[in-house]
Amino acid sequence: MRKEKDVIIYLKYGLLEKIKDCVNNATPNEACGFVFGTIEEVPLSVPGEFQYHYIAKEFHCIESNHKSPIAFLISDEERFGKAFREAAHSQDLRLISIFHSHPSGNRPSGTDLDNMKYLDKFGLKATKNQIWTIMDAKDKKIKGYMYLQKELIEVEVISQE
Ligand SMILES: [Zn+2]
């Protein structure tokens, strides 16, 4: 899998702890949640080229009996919409990442990839160009992925602690 060096997600101080708590509380089920923040376009020294910094500022852990965050997003649009509007209105934040955990491992499953493709094709503007963050519930390592131009890519996750 290609690693895209020009997209980076930064988790602000304390956010990784919140995410780990969400995962621990959901065990043995998979945890899911939504990350809100801002996206900054940072010009590189080459004219016309940019890095995209996804600055994660808020994490909403979803208590749900659904098997995946997409199942939640689709079947519980009202609750998703409420969390989304609160973040967007009170702090001018947008949805930047869909988070979930796996019992072990942090690579996207076949279902994850199908969901990424689904959102890329049919998603609302607000759910496009998401970074999918996945945490291994065992070692708590987190990785980021995007489905861009019909390709699954890995992006850098940096926790600012
Ligand atoms: Zn998954």
Side-chain angles (χ1 to χ4, degrees), residues 39-52:
I39 299 174
E40 288 166 18
E41 209 179 56
V42 181
L44 296 176
S45 52
V46 182
E49 290 198 6
F50 297 92
Q51 251 192 359
Y52 294 89

Side-chain angles (χ1 to χ4, degrees), residues 30 67-69 100-102 107-109 111-112 132 134:
E30 294 188 8
K67 281 250 182 304
S68 78
H100 71 291
S101 66
H102 287 171
R107 288 176 71 91
S109 66
T111 308
D112 293 336
W132 280 58
I134 304 176

Side-chain angles (χ1 to χ4, degrees), residues 14 61 76 90 93 108 118 120 130 156 158:
C61 180
D76 209 344
S90 64
L93 304 180
Y118 176 86
D120 184 65
Q130 293 303 311
E156 185 102 44
I158 297 176

Side-chain angles (χ1 to χ4, degrees), residues 54-71:
Y54 284 58
I55 314 290
K57 296 175 179 170
E58 289 272 327
F59 175 68
H60 288 244
C61 180
I62 302 297
E63 282 171 39
S64 155
N65 46 15
H66 293 299
K67 281 250 182 304
S68 78
I70 292 304

Side-chain angles (χ1 to χ4, degrees), residues 9-11 15 19 33-38 54-61 87 93-99 130-131 133 142:
I9 181 166
Y10 291 95
L11 306 178
L15 223 59
I19 294 173
F34 296 102
V35 179
F36 295 95
T38 54
Y54 284 58
I55 314 290
K57 296 175 179 170
E58 289 272 327
F59 175 68
H60 288 244
C61 180
L93 304 180
R94 52 166 292 183
L95 178 68
I96 60 167
S97 176
I98 295 169
F99 168 81
Q130 293 303 311
I131 291 177
T133 39
I142 190 165

